[in-house]
Amino acid sequence: MTSTVPDPRRLASTVAACRELIETRFADEIERGAAAMLLDDGTIHTGTAPDVVNPAVELCHEVEPLTAAFRLGRTVVASVCLAREAPGRFLVLSPCGVCRERLAAHGPNVVVAVPTRADPAEPTWLPLHRVLPHYWAAIFDDVPWR
Ligand SMILES: [Zn+2]
């Protein structure tokens, strides 16, 4: 399994776009989050979870950029999700199990931001196959996982 790490500058831009969305959309609210994804054409798409009355129907921040990639017929190359803990400080949220499943459609080499052990606000990047090492569908020949 080969792993192609995207350009570090584009990954940094993806994180910056995610922070910018939080800063602009939620300028007056501290504890808010967003996600950003880098697509194979170099574009960056962002999203955030809308407020809902019933928490059972909440969406992950990743849903908007992921559906944008599908709408555009593009492949997701990298994904980051951030949650603002304090002004100027953004915790890195590793993708949840559902989002890992959603991202798996883009193959095992999509890189996802995870927090470093030293600082949960410092992103590092891992290919999806490293955060999902025993992906259930990898045994099927028509799943591009091997
Ligand atoms: Zn999720």
Side-chain angles (χ1 to χ4, degrees):
M1 191 176 312
T2 61
S3 180
T4 306
V5 178
D7 182 337
R9 291 168 299 184
R10 293 306 291 158
L11 293 177
S13 295
T14 306
V15 172
C18 191
R19 289 179 180 165
E20 183 180 341
L21 174 58
I22 297 169
E23 297 281 19
T24 55
R25 173 61 180 86
F26 305 112
D28 299 327
E29 303 168 76
I30 296 298
E31 294 183 2
R32 287 293 191 152
M37 293 187 186
L38 174 65
L39 306 188
D40 62 335
D41 64 353
T43 60
I44 296 169
H45 296 262
T46 60
T48 188
D51 293 331
V52 294
V53 175
N54 180 348
V57 298
E58 287 181 349
L59 296 172
C60 294
H61 299 302
E62 289 95 330
V63 170
E64 186 177 3
L66 189 71
T67 53
F70 183 76
R71 173 174 46 81
L72 297 167
R74 306 306 315 190
T75 298
V76 175
V77 172
S79 178
V80 60
C81 183
L82 300 174
R84 185 168 50 198
E85 177 186 54
R89 182 168 167 80
F90 300 87
L91 301 179
V92 180
L93 302 180
S94 175
C96 78
V98 173
C99 286
R100 290 176 190 198
E101 182 68 37
R102 291 168 174 153
L103 287 165
H106 294 269
N109 295 320
V110 175
V111 294
V112 297
V114 300
T116 64
R117 290 184 189 276
D119 182 1
E122 180 68 34
T124 189
W125 299 89
L126 290 177
L128 192 58
H129 65 84
R130 291 270 311 277
V131 297
L132 201 53
H134 302 285
Y135 183 49
W136 70 273
I139 60 168
F140 298 109
D141 292 337
D142 60 343
V143 176
W145 196 261
R146 289 187 254 185

